[in-house]
Amino acid sequence: MNIDAQALINKMTSNYAQAIAVKDQQLAMAQVQIDQLTKKLADQHKPNKAKA
C-alpha cells in the first residue's frame, strides 16, 4: 500500500485550516452577541442612574 505523505499532509492541513476558520466565525458571532448584550445592559442601567 503506497501512501502519498504529501497529499495526506495537504489534506490534514486543509482540514485543520477549515476547522480554524469555523472556530473564528463562531468566535466572531459570539463577540457580536456579547456586544449586543453589553449594550442592552448599559441601556437598561441608564434610566436607573438618572433616577438616583
Side-chain angles (χ1 to χ4, degrees):
M1 183 163 146
N2 188 9
I3 297 173
D4 184 347
Q6 190 61 50
L8 182 59
I9 290 168
N10 290 345
K11 180 68 174 169
M12 291 174 69
T13 302
S14 174
N15 288 349
Y16 187 69
Q18 207 170 12
I20 291 173
V22 168
K23 285 294 170 197
D24 283 348
Q25 186 179 25
Q26 289 172 337
L27 286 170
M29 290 168 58
Q31 187 61 55
V32 168
Q33 290 178 319
I34 289 168
D35 292 344
Q36 289 172 344
L37 289 170
T38 301
K39 183 183 183 312
K40 188 175 181 179
L41 278 172
D43 290 345
Q44 285 177 352
H45 287 288
K46 281 181 188 174
N48 294 342
K49 288 182 180 176
K51 291 178 185 175

